[in-house]
């Protein structure tokens, strides 16, 4: 009887410590680092970017767009027929194969959509019908994924000609097919806090969130001069919006807004890590970071690789 009571007492003590201890719960932390690359045709290559072998590294090719690529006329929507718009001279299928041969833990994804196309024209999500867009998207994205030996897909539409429910249904059905047929092994979305953007992603999350592995939230779309307390508040708000999801923190090296490394980004990351909430870091983008020798990529990966 005494031994039974001792066991019960020990179990209760373990439960109490788990519930009320002030020590961090680190199980949710991740060593995931992600970086967008190739959108600005600045000649950046995979080999230019420093890779810490102690982190999980995702390159995200930017962008595949369902717009025409003819140089003789302005780009126009193609109803889900995606074409490659990233820097194919420096980021082609053989480069992806070589990268993966030399870095076994590195994975490569492609991002769909983006903000603008040639001559700064906005890229719109513009399907003719749900079924036709999904059918064309499945065919074209499967072809690109297999040609480039890709592992994942990222959704980064920022302008819309259709409502949130149509967007959710098109993207949700596409993700379901790609994962079900093992065309990709992971998927992410890249929303930001804007009344014309966020509702589309929240509709997608509500219906198809189980298919989305990471939320690349664009924290650099917040106002310039964001401080640490504001950033942590924004993080909590978006973690609530995408409840149960892995919301990654981010900053831009292109002079965009949000909490910059100079103003305390890495201090905020350490706080999140101490709380077991650091699901990963991503940067926009390698094209912009090249001029400074990728110093923040190195610092981000060092932080992720370290234990608390």
């Amino acid at each position: 009887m005494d031994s039974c009571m001792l066991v019960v007492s020990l179990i209760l003590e373990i439960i109490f410590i788990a519930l009320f201890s002030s020590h961090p719960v680190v199980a949710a932390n991740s060593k995931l680092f992600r970086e967008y690359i190739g959108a600005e045709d600045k000649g950046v290559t995979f080999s230019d970017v420093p890779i810490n072998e102690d982190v999980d590294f995702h390159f995200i090719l930017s962008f595949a767009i369902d717009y025409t690529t003819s140089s003789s006329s302005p780009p126009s929507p193609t109803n889900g027929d995606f074409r490659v718009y990233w820097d194919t001279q420096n980021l082609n299928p053989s480069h992806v194969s070589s990268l993966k041969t030399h870095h076994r833990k590195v994975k490569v994804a492609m991002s769909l959509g983006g903000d603008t196309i040639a001559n700064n024209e906005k890229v719109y999500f513009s399907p003719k019908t749900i079924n036709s867009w999904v059918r064309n998207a499945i065919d074209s994205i499967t072809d690109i994924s297999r040609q480039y030996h890709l592992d994942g897909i990222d959704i980064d539409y920022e302008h819309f000609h259709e409502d949130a429910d149509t967007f959710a249904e098109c993207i949700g059905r596409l993700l379901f097919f790609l994962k079900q047929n093992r065309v990709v092994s992971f998927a992410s979305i890249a929303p930001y806090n804007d009344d014309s953007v966020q509702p589309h992603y929240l509709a997608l999350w509500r219906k198809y969130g189980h298919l989305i592995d990471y939320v690349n939230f664009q924290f650099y779309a917040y106002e310039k001069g964001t401080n640490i307390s504001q950033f942590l508040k924004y993080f909590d708000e978006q973690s609530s919006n995408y409840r149960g999801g892995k919301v990654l923190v981010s900053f831009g090296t292109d002079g965009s807004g949000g909490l910059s490394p100079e103003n305390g980004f890495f201090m905020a990351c350490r706080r999140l890590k101490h709380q077991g909430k650091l699901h990963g870091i991503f940067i926009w983008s390698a094209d912009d970071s090249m001029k400074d020798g990728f110093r923040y990529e190195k610092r981000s990966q060092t932080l992720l690789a370290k234990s608390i």
Side-chain angles (χ1 to χ4, degrees):
M1 189 70 175
D2 287 345
S3 61
C4 289
M5 290 298 293
L6 179 60
V7 171
V8 170
S9 176
L10 287 171
I11 292 173
L12 290 173
E13 184 177 351
I14 291 169
I15 292 172
F16 179 86
I17 291 171
L19 289 174
F20 300 108
S21 174
S22 60
H23 292 289
V25 179
V26 297
N29 286 331
S30 166
K31 294 184 177 182
L32 178 60
F33 177 79
R34 316 186 88 203
E35 177 135 46
Y36 290 86
I37 187 171
E40 298 173 10
D41 288 326
K42 293 185 177 178
V44 64
T45 68
F46 294 128
S47 59
D48 289 329
V49 184
I51 297 173
N52 186 323
E53 300 296 343
D54 292 326
V55 305
D56 299 311
F57 197 117
H58 292 180
F59 279 110
I60 306 175
L61 293 165
S62 310
F63 291 92
I65 310 175
D66 54 335
Y67 269 60
T68 56
T69 55
S70 172
S71 58
S72 60
S73 59
S76 59
T78 58
N79 191 40
D81 183 10
F82 284 86
R83 292 97 188 274
V84 170
Y85 268 89
W86 58 76
D87 179 4
T88 54
Q89 183 174 345
N90 293 289
L91 303 166
N92 64 35
S94 64
H95 295 138
V96 175
S97 294
S98 177
L99 168 72
K100 290 186 173 185
T101 298
H102 290 93
H103 300 281
R104 295 294 182 180
K105 290 176 69 175
V106 173
K107 298 186 184 301
V108 183
M110 68 172 158
S111 188
L112 307 187
D115 182 20
T116 60
I117 201 166
N119 300 318
N120 286 322
E121 291 189 31
K122 291 179 179 178
V123 171
Y124 282 91
F125 176 73
S126 188
K128 291 181 178 177
T129 66
I130 292 174
N131 287 338
S132 63
W133 188 93
V134 171
R135 183 170 60 248
N136 292 336
I138 285 172
D139 289 344
S140 57
I141 289 171
T142 298
D143 286 346
I144 296 170
S145 294
R146 289 177 175 163
Q147 180 188 2
Y148 276 82
H149 320 291
L150 300 181
D151 305 287
I153 192 167
D154 176 66
I155 309 299
D156 188 22
Y157 277 103
E158 303 186 5
H159 311 285
F160 305 89
H161 278 154
E162 288 294 340
D163 61 34
D165 289 335
T166 300
F167 176 73
E169 202 57 40
C170 285
I171 300 300
R173 291 187 192 182
L174 172 64
L175 296 183
F176 179 81
F177 178 91
L178 295 176
K179 286 195 140 186
Q180 189 80 1
N181 291 275
R182 299 183 179 180
V183 178
V184 300
S185 59
F186 59 83
S188 60
I189 56 175
Y192 60 95
N193 189 45
D194 183 278
D195 289 342
S196 66
V197 175
Q198 183 102 298
H200 289 75
Y201 286 94
L202 291 176
L204 173 62
W205 183 261
R206 283 191 295 270
K207 192 164 186 181
Y208 291 100
H210 60 286
L211 298 173
I212 299 167
D213 300 281
Y214 313 108
V215 179
N216 278 15
F217 199 85
Q218 298 183 43
F219 287 100
Y220 44 84
Y222 284 105
E223 63 277 5
K224 280 191 174 184
T226 296
N227 61 38
I228 292 174
S229 62
Q230 289 171 324
F231 177 85
L232 294 173
K233 174 176 167 284
Y234 297 150
F235 178 83
D236 286 342
E237 288 173 354
Q238 301 309 330
S239 296
S240 177
N241 282 334
Y242 299 94
R243 189 173 300 280
K246 295 178 180 178
V247 177
L248 276 65
V249 295
S250 60
F251 62 92
T253 53
D254 61 346
S256 51
L259 178 61
S260 67
E262 294 86 356
N263 285 347
F265 176 83
F266 293 110
M267 185 179 296
C269 285
R270 284 191 287 273
R271 290 193 192 179
L272 291 175
K273 192 170 186 178
H274 187 78
Q275 296 167 4
K277 295 178 181 178
L278 187 59
H279 305 297
I281 298 171
F282 77 90
I283 295 177
W284 174 270
S285 67
D287 303 53
D288 299 296
S289 298
M290 186 165 54
K291 65 183 182 297
D292 290 326
F294 304 97
R295 57 177 175 155
Y296 293 129
E297 281 77 359
K298 296 171 187 174
R299 194 169 171 185
S300 296
Q301 293 176 72
T302 297
L303 186 150
L304 289 167
K306 282 183 178 178
S307 58
I308 292 178

